[in-house]
Each structure stands twice: as structure tokens, then as C-alpha cells.
């Protein structure tokens, strides 16, 4: 063994070598181990006859220390690379969902889909946050209005991988859309007037009423004006299930307008119109409704992931509503049992179905 090599070993043990010199020395030591193993196989374990200096205790300790040091450096390098990748992915994910207000748009699509396809359901206490590795979590509570109370009845959690929802868990308590029947349907629903009558006095209810014909938004507002109950959702004629079929079932493709319009934080198309103006003006309400349908259509892959129905076919629905106008065939209302029971005397109400009922909470 040369004096230079011995000096390198001493410097290595004392930590005086640079990283490049250490790597070069490690490679040389690994070669020496391979030579030593080969010689032992050929001439036996008596290494003192070959190179006594390589077999002394100090050299073995140096070799052992070198191997562990190399392993430690490899682990630190791998960990550093993982941290850098995580930070980079997190940065790209945040930029992706912030670009063009994409996260807020997805939030609007989810809230709008619930509001337009689930009668008397709205999203409350919502939140969304990008994660690392190109995903975003969204969560919200689903509530319905019964009397003067807005009650949370379920939760919805979604996870996105870039553009695509990868899991969701929307479950509604009832098939609420079967509570409506279109004037064009040949089937009939069993009326719940008897169920209303046996409810105790001082009860407020959620009722699904179907109309005897299609009415415009303005006509429905006139019929409900001055009543001691409150509308919360309107069922809108979305066209025949099959194009050209006049005997369709509207409730197979449930679409409707919430009484309180969805405020879309990502959109400026309302032109500064307040929610109260939309509520009070039937024409403005209809325009807002169609605008929301277009928003959902642009992100139909998200909407279909949320809905409990297999397919919206929104392109045909929007075309039909824009051609024929917004025509309403039913509504969800809430209020005192006695007031809603009086609707059986109204010729424009064809059926009533009772949803949730609560003890008195009405002002």
C-alpha cells in the first residue's frame, strides 16, 4: 500500500476529504473488497500472506465506517429529492386550481348542481382546499328548509384529481323527485291530503305540490303571493325524455329553480344584480336559471358525478328551455300544516306529497 493511499485513508477517517475525493476513495475500497474476496476464494482465508496491512483492525473499521457513511448520504439525498418533489407538486397544484379561479368555479358547479337537481336541498358550510400531488378536497353540508329552520341533513365530500372528480358520496334521504308529476304524465300520484289532516295542530311541513298545467314563473308567483307559506324550489319543464315524445315523464330528468338563487362567486355575469332583485323579478330569475344551466353544462362531468341520476342530457334540456321558455309544473313549499291543507281547494294544485314535518317553528 502506497503512502499516498494511506494518507487518503487517514484523511478519510478524519473527514478531511472533499465529497468527490470521498466518492473516489469509496470506489477504490469497494474494488479492494472485491479483490480480497476473489483471492480468498482462490488461495484460502490466509490474507496475511497477500497483504497483511489490508487485514488489520483499523482498515476494517475504516471500510465499515465508509459503507455506513455512503448509505447515510444516499438516504439523505433520496429524502431531499422527495421533499423537493413534494414542494414542487404542491406549488403546481395551487397554481392549477388558482389559475382562472378554477377552484371557485368547481365550487360553484357543485353548489349549483345540488340546488338545481335536488328539491329543497342547498349547500352550507362549504370549503375547498388544494393538496399536494394535483388533488383538491371539497366538502359541504347539505341542508333543507322546514318551516323557519334550515336543517343539515347530510354531508358531501368530493376529491378532485386535476379536472376530474375521483370520489363522492352524495346520498339523499328520499327519492324526492318522485313527489312531482307533470301535467303530461299519464300516471297519477296518491295525494297526501289525508296524511296532512292527521298531523297534529301546530305542525309545519315540507310539501311537494304538482300543478294542473304548466305555468310561467310570473304566473306561479302571482298564485303564491300573499300566502302564509313559503316556496323554496320550483320544478321546471325540462322537455321530453326522448326528443319528439309528447308523453314523457319530467321527473326522470329533474331540473328546477331554487327560490333563493345560487350566488356564483366565480362569475360576474349577473352584472351587479342583487339576489333580492333576482328573487323579485321573474324575467331576471329565468335568465339566472338558464345562465346556471350553462355553467353546469360546461362542467357536466362534475355535475354527473354529483347527481343521483345517471345522465342529465343538459344540451337538450337547455335547448328546450331556451326555445319554449321556463314553465313550472310543481313547487316545494313549507309552512303551517293548516295553510297547506287549504290548497286542496285550489284548482291549480293537482297533487300534494308530504315531506318532512316539524313542531311549530313558524313566525
Amino acid at each position: 500500500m502506497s503512502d499516498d493511499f494511506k494518507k487518503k485513508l487517514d484523511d478519510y477517517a478524519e473527514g478531511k476529504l472533499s465529497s468527490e475525493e470521498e466518492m473516489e476513495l469509496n470506489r477504490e475500497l469497494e474494488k479492494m473488497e472485491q479483490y480480497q474476496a476473489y483471492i480468498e476464494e482462490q488461495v484460502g482465508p490466509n490474507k496475511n500472506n497477500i497483504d497483511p496491512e489490508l487485514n488489520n483492525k483499523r482498515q476494517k473499521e475504516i471500510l465499515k465506517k465508509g459503507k455506513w457513511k455512503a448509505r447515510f448520504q444516499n438516504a439523505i439525498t433520496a429524502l431531499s429529492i422527495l421533499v423537493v418533489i413534494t414542494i414542487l407538486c404542491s406549488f403546481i397544484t395551487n397554481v392549477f386550481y388558482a389559475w382562472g379561479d378554477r377552484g371557485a368555479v368547481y365550487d360553484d358547479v357543485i353548489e349549483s348542481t345540488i340546488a338545481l337537481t335536488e328539491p329543497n336541498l342547498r349547500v352550507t358550510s362549504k370549503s375547498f382546499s388544494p393538496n399536494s400531488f394535483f388533488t383538491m378536497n371539497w366538502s359541504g353540508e347539505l341542508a333543507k328548509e322546514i318551516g323557519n329552520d334550515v336543517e343539515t341533513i347530510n354531508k358531501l365530500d368530493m376529491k378532485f384529481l386535476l379536472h376530474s372528480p375521483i370520489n363522492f358520496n352524495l346520498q339523499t334521504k328520499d327519492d324526492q323527485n318522485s313527489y312531482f308529476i307533470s301535467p303530461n304524465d299519464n300516471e297519477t300520484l296518491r295525494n297526501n291530503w289525508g296524511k296532512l289532516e292527521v298531523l297534529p295542530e301546530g305542525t309545519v311541513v315540507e310539501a311537494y305540490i304538482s300543478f294542473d298545467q304548466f305555468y310561467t314563473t310570473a304566473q306561479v308567483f302571482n298564485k303564491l303571493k300573499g300566502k302564509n307559506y313559503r316556496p323554496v324550489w320550483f320544478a321546471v319543464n325540462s322537455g321530453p325524455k326522448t326528443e319528439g315524445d309528447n308523453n314523457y315523464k319530467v321527473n326522470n330528468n329533474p331540473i328546477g329553480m331554487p327560490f333563493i338563487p345560487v350566488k356564483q362567486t366565480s362569475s360576474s355575469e349577473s352584472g351587479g344584480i342583487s339576489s333580492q332583485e333576482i328573487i323579485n323579478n321573474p324575467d331576471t330569475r329565468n335568465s339566472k336559471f338558464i345562465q346556471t344551466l350553462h355553467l353546469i353544462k360546461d362542467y357536466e362531468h362534475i355535475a354527473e358525478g354529483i347527481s343521483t341520476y345517471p345522465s342529465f342530457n343538459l344540451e337538450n334540456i337547455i335547448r328546450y328551455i331556451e326555445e319554449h321558455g321556463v314553465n313550472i309544473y310543481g313547487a316545494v313549499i313549507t309552512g303551517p300544516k293548516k295553510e297547506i291543507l287549504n290548497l286542496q281547494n285550489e284548482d291549480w294544485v293537482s297533487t300534494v306529497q308530504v315531506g318532512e314535518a316539524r313542531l311549530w317553528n313558524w313566525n
Side-chain angles (χ1 to χ4, degrees), residues 40-53:
E40 284 182 357
E41 290 177 359
Q42 298 299 319
V43 300
N46 186 8
K47 296 177 283 296
N48 292 325
N49 294 331
I50 303 167
D51 190 351
E53 295 183 78

Side-chain angles (χ1 to χ4, degrees), residues 120 122 145 230-234 257-260 332-334:
N120 194 19
R122 69 177 75 168
E145 190 172 342
R230 184 167 52 252
V232 293
W233 196 86
F234 304 103
M257 288 191 297
F259 179 74
I260 300 176
V332 183
I333 59 176
T334 185

Side-chain angles (χ1 to χ4, degrees), residues 41-157:
E41 290 177 359
Q42 298 299 319
V43 300
N46 186 8
K47 296 177 283 296
N48 292 325
N49 294 331
I50 303 167
D51 190 351
E53 295 183 78
L54 287 177
N55 294 295
N56 63 51
K57 185 176 180 181
R58 185 168 177 229
Q59 297 301 327
K60 288 183 179 181
E61 290 176 354
I62 291 173
L63 290 171
K64 185 177 180 181
K65 181 181 177 182
K67 286 190 287 185
W68 279 107
K69 189 173 182 179
R71 291 170 184 168
F72 178 75
Q73 288 176 337
N74 291 338
I76 292 296
T77 301
L79 183 61
S80 300
I81 292 172
L82 180 61
V83 170
V84 170
I85 291 175
T86 301
I87 293 173
L88 182 61
C89 288
S90 179
F91 174 76
I92 294 174
T93 302
N94 279 274
V95 170
F96 175 83
Y97 288 110
W99 191 273
D101 221 7
R102 188 177 280 120
V105 172
Y106 292 174
D107 178 53
D108 286 342
V109 171
I110 295 169
E111 186 172 1
S112 298
T113 301
I114 297 295
L116 268 61
T117 64
E118 299 292 339
N120 194 19
L121 273 188
R122 69 177 75 168
V123 175
T124 61
S125 304
K126 59 182 180 176
S127 66
F128 63 94
S129 57
N131 304 317
S132 301
F133 303 107
F134 318 114
T135 61
M136 181 182 79
N137 287 339
W138 185 98
S139 64
E141 294 180 345
L142 302 182
K144 63 166 50 182
E145 190 172 342
I146 308 168
N148 282 341
D149 293 338
V150 177
E151 299 182 8
T152 299
I153 64 165
N154 210 333
K155 284 191 66 177
L156 172 62
D157 297 303

Side-chain angles (χ1 to χ4, degrees), residues 259-264 270 272-281 284-285 288:
F259 179 74
I260 300 176
V262 179
K263 184 178 180 181
Q264 292 158 2
S270 297
I273 299 174
S274 67
S275 295
Q276 197 60 44
E277 289 178 276
I278 296 174
I279 289 172
N280 294 332
N281 189 314
T284 306
R285 171 184 287 277
K288 173 66 175 178

Side-chain angles (χ1 to χ4, degrees), residues 153-206:
I153 64 165
N154 210 333
K155 284 191 66 177
L156 172 62
D157 297 303
M158 295 191 69
K159 189 170 186 177
F160 286 85
L161 176 61
L162 296 179
H163 292 286
S164 303
I166 54 177
N167 70 324
F168 57 93
N169 66 346
L170 175 61
Q171 292 181 348
T172 55
K173 292 178 66 176
D174 305 297
D175 183 10
Q176 296 168 307
N177 297 290
S178 65
Y179 289 165
F180 293 115
I181 186 165
S182 163
N184 286 353
D185 284 347
N186 294 324
E187 297 179 5
T188 58
L189 285 175
R190 182 179 178 182
N191 267 308
N192 278 173
W193 299 119
K195 182 177 180 180
L196 266 175
E197 288 175 348
V198 300
L199 288 175
E201 293 297 326
T203 299
V204 294
V205 298
E206 170 199 37

Side-chain angles (χ1 to χ4, degrees), residues 226-277:
K227 304 294 185 181
N228 191 26
Y229 48 77
R230 184 167 52 252
V232 293
W233 196 86
F234 304 103
V236 175
N237 180 11
S238 58
K241 184 178 179 184
T242 304
E243 196 167 354
D245 179 11
N246 292 322
N247 297 316
Y248 57 87
K249 295 181 179 180
V250 174
N251 57 23
N252 284 346
N253 246 335
I255 292 290
M257 288 191 297
F259 179 74
I260 300 176
V262 179
K263 184 178 180 181
Q264 292 158 2
T265 57
S266 64
S267 174
S268 58
E269 294 183 26
S270 297
I273 299 174
S274 67
S275 295
Q276 197 60 44
E277 289 178 276

